[in-house]
């Protein structure tokens, strides 16, 4: 094998983390290369540079969620006085997907340009480690090239996982890898899973007019505050999304007209139903299997996630790993980006700053959105003790919801978890419209150690939903969450 | 040949058909996923048809792998990115679906 190129840093994976680290390292003067290659999904879906977020995650998800919320606003439009709004007009899936896909391709192009501009060599090839300094690159025609690097960064992220109890499942169902590139409306859809992926996708599919059922094994949004998770589920049910609870599919088969017959068991009884599409969103698995990491000595846990120390080092001295493929990291784009940038700073600019995962704000874009920062109620009680925390809660109704009478007055909810001894707000939970926009600013305060009293002394912006957070006085266990009167 | 649009597909074609073209060449960097590109395209075609063979029209699809370096150089600010070349030199450029600038460029090309 003729080895021609040698780099300071070779990044495997052109997603949120990989791209951020590569660009930053190049800015700091390192000679950098990046390899990104998308293995097609079992159904053949593939995409360009940018990783999960850009191509099959955050970006298309948010655009489709937005499309669904626009549909829901038609009723409000009528009551706000607009003439000729058709509340039951149909949705054109193909038009939405074309626009979403075009935007993604524009982002793919932008990332390619950024790498070119920063002088990062981009290989659209599948990388595999030969040893701790040598990478084998295979292109889509099978041609092989070998390069060497002083430091290697593994940032390969993950891919959707499939339940293992159903034969041929990979050819019978779609995942989020396929949903955002589907050229036809998926129709009547069964979503299997209780993750935010399952709820977000089930949510917007219903919002654009599809019949949706969501099959969940036990609880919703494991790891998130469960009071909030239940309210999210309740809101979705009230909207008309059917939840099949306490079940997993027993069998999935293709029918003669290419629909899907799904069988499951509830209370010992067999149930079956025909769906146009089955979307599996039961989890994601680290994409490390074909990298040859074992042979090189990089330690992973049982599910293939790489074991790293706080400074992103693996068990091999010159190999680092960041993002979704690492054990214990939140599967989020902004943390991968920041982690990548800080790693580059440490490698090439003598920085010592490590990534902090404390009080990272996030938002779930379910039909009623949920933004949160810090501890769930359960985690706070578990860590500090029930008598050491106070929970403030409030039910509220957005002013704009008063045009259309069918809006609920009890769905929106806010909660603050406060540590008694220093009055610090350690948990922030907001369920309501524009949750991402509402939550972001509070993350700054919480990272700075804001207290409940500082919250209370802050004047609210009126009329907004966000002001609820600086006015909440009801204590859970003592007061009702609902205000009476204005 | 009047009316024929040059589809640049390789670095070699960029060199021979654009840089080494005896006539002035207006080059349109575009992509299939770009909305404004689709609107500008027929305008450029129509200007070319009216030019009576005084200049050539070339198009570069920025998604073509072999042309990555060239597209990266000329289309890094966005697309549609349109350039007027004469004897290998860049004379002028404009960005976006700008009919007025396209007309101006076509007039300039006819006088070179």
């Amino acid at each position: 094998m003729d080895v021609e190129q040698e780099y300071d840093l070779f990044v495997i994976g052109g997603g949120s983390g990989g791209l951020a680290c590569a660009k930053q390292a190049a800015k700091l003067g390192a000679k950098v290369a990046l390899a990104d290659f998308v293995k097609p999904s079992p159904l053949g879906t593939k995409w360009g540079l940018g990783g999960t977020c850009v191509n099959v995650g955050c970006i298309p998800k948010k655009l489709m969620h937005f499309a669904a919320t626009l549909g829901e606003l038609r009723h409000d439009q009528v009551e706000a006085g607009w003439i000729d709004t058709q509340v039951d007009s149909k949705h054109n899936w193909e038009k939405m997907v074309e626009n979403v896909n075009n935007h993604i391709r524009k982002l793919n192009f932008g990332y390619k340009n950024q790498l070119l501009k920063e002088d990062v060599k981009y290989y659209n090839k599948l990388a595999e480690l030969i040893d701790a300094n040598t990478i084998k690159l295979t292109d889509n025609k099978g041609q092989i090239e070998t390069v060497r690097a002083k430091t290697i960064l593994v940032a390969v992220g993950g891919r959707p996982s499939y339940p293992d109890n159903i034969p041929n499942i990979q050819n019978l169902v779609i995942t989020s890898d396929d949903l955002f590139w589907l050229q036809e409306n998926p129709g009547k859809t069964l979503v299997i899973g209780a993750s935010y992926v399952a709820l977000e996708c089930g949510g917007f599919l219903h919002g654009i007019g599809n019949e949706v059922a969501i099959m969940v094994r036990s609880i919703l949004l494991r790891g998130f505050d469960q009071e909030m998770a239940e309210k999210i589920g309740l809101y979705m049910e009230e909207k008309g999304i059917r939840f099949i609870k306490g079940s997993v599919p027993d069998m999935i088969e293709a029918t003669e007209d290419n629909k899907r017959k799904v069988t499951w068991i509830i209370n010992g009884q067999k149930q079956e139903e025909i769906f146009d599409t089955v979307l599996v969103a039961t989890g994601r698995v680290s994409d490390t299997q074909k990298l040859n990491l074992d042979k090189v000595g990089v330690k992973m846990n049982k599910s293939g996630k790489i074991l790293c120390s706080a400074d992103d080092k693996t068990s091999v001295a010159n190999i680092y790993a960041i993002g979704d493929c690492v054990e214990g990291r939140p599967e989020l784009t902004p943390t991968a980006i920041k982690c990548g940038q800080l790693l580059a700073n440490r490698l090439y600019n003598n920085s010592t700053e490590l990534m902090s995962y404390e009080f990272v704000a996030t938002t779930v874009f379910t039909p009623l959105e949920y933004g949160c920062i810090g501890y769930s109620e359960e985690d706070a009680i578990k860590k500090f003790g029930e008598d050491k925390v106070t929970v403030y809660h409030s039910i509220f109704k957005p002013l704009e919801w008063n045009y259309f009478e069918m809006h609920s007055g009890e769905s929106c909810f806010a909660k603050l978890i406060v540590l008694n001894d220093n009055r610090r707000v350690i948990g922030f939970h907001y369920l309501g419209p524009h949750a991402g926009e509402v939550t972001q600013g509070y993350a700054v305060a919480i990272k700075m150690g804001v207290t409940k009293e500082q919250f209370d002394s802050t004047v609210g912006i009126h009329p907004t939903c966000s002001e609820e957070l600086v006015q909440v006085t009801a204590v859970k266990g003592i007061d009702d969450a609902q205000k009476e009167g204005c | 040949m009047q009316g024929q649009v040059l589809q640049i597909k390789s670095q070699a074609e960029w060199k021979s058909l654009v840089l080494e073209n005896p006539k002035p060449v207006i080059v349109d960097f575009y992509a299939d996923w770009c909305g404004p590109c689709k609107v500008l395209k027929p305008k450029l075609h129509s200007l070319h048809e009216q030019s009576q063979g005084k200049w050539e029209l070339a198009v570069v699809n920025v998604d073509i792998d072999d042309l990555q370096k060239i597209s990266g150089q000329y289309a890094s600010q966005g697309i549609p990115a349109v350039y007027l070349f004469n004897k290998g030199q860049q004379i002028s450029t404009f960005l976006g679906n700008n009919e007025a600038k396209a007309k101006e460029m076509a007039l300039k090309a006819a006088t070179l």
Side-chain angles (χ1 to χ4, degrees), chain A residues 122-197:
Chain A
Y122 165 49
Y123 293 96
N124 186 201
K125 303 187 184 196
L126 189 62
E128 192 189 311
L129 296 184
I130 298 195
D131 61 43
N133 293 96
T134 315
I135 304 110
K136 172 179 159 191
L137 298 165
T138 311
D139 71 12
N140 60 0
K141 294 188 179 77
Q143 298 203 296
I144 296 175
E145 187 180 348
T146 313
V147 299
R148 285 184 63 79
K150 297 200 190 84
T151 305
I152 292 176
L153 172 64
V154 179
V156 295
R159 295 296 288 267
S161 60
Y162 294 80
D164 54 13
N165 65 320
I166 292 167
N168 198 31
I169 189 172
Q170 295 194 355
N171 294 318
L172 293 169
V173 307
I174 66 168
T175 68
S176 54
D177 279 357
D178 307 296
L179 178 63
F180 303 113
W181 295 86
L182 232 43
Q183 295 302 298
E184 273 173 19
N185 188 317
K188 177 184 173 190
T189 303
L190 173 68
V191 180
I192 301 174
S195 58
Y196 72 81
V197 176

Side-chain angles (χ1 to χ4, degrees), chain A residues 276-289:
Chain A
D276 294 322
T277 302
V278 177
L279 168 67
V280 161
T282 50
R284 294 181 67 80
V285 70
S286 184
D287 196 10
T288 50
Q289 301 86 11

Side-chain angles (χ1 to χ4, degrees), chain A residues 102 105-106 109 112-113 116, chain B residues 33 62 65 68 72 75-76:
Chain A
N102 282 347
R105 291 194 186 100
K106 187 164 145 192
F109 178 64
K112 262 199 236 178
N113 273 349
L116 258 170
Chain B
W33 38 259
V62 300
D65 275 334
Q68 237 184 74
S76 59

Side-chain angles (χ1 to χ4, degrees), chain A residues 325-343:
Chain A
C325 68
V326 178
E327 184 187 72
R329 307 295 187 232
E331 291 181 354
L332 296 171
T333 278
T335 50
I337 289 176
K338 196 164 190 78
C339 183
Q341 289 167 341
L342 293 177
L343 174 61

